[in-house]
Amino acid sequence: VQLQASGGGLVQAGESLSLSCAASGRISSRFAVGWIRQAPGKEREWVGSINWSGDSALYADSVKGRFTISRDNSKNTVYLHMDNLKPEDTAVYYCAAKNAGAYLGWNYDYWGQGTQVTVSS
């Protein structure tokens, strides 16, 4: 399974941006997806996760109320919609998948290559 994250870019504070994570390859089971970000010089930070059915998503406190994760399993794609972006949201955003219906943790089975999000003040 390969994950391709896309949609990053440069935006101003207060603006919105949506990221996509497309899965391809031999997808033979259900998988939960997480979004993780890493800013320069900082440790990676879990942003949020969504279960296989898409009816349950959890978020880090730092993004709760501003970010929304959704998925379209017919397209094998998971989305991260980000509203009211702040300069501290600047980071490389990664999507990762786990062969499980739901998952919280760091031991994902697959990782995407990351997409840069830069928020200017």
Side-chain angles (χ1 to χ4, degrees), residues 30-33 50-54 56 71 98-103:
R30 306 182 306 168
F31 59 95
V33 174
I50 190 166
N51 66 349
W52 164 249
S53 61
S56 178
R71 66 190 298 163
K98 181 72 174 178
N99 285 321
Y103 183 74

Side-chain angles (χ1 to χ4, degrees), residues 27-70:
I27 301 170
S28 60
S29 63
R30 306 182 306 168
F31 59 95
V33 174
W35 286 95
I36 297 95
R37 66 186 181 184
Q38 188 163 24
K42 296 186 178 181
E43 294 187 353
R44 60 183 181 176
E45 176 188 15
W46 173 76
V47 174
S49 301
I50 190 166
N51 66 349
W52 164 249
S53 61
D55 60 0
S56 178
L58 298 175
Y59 302 93
D61 288 342
S62 59
V63 306
K64 196 173 296 182
R66 299 188 298 122
F67 288 15
T68 303
I69 301 174
S70 61

Side-chain angles (χ1 to χ4, degrees), residues 1-8 18-24 27 31-36 50 69-73 75-81 93-98 110-115:
V1 175
Q2 293 80 43
L3 300 177
Q4 178 74 39
S6 61
S18 290
L19 306 182
S20 298
C21 176
S24 60
I27 301 170
F31 59 95
V33 174
W35 286 95
I36 297 95
I50 190 166
I69 301 174
S70 61
R71 66 190 298 163
D72 183 345
N73 287 341
K75 298 180 180 180
N76 290 324
T77 302
V78 174
Y79 306 95
L80 175 64
H81 182 70
Y93 283 71
Y94 300 90
C95 60
K98 181 72 174 178
Y110 311 101
W111 287 80
Q113 86 290 359
T115 185

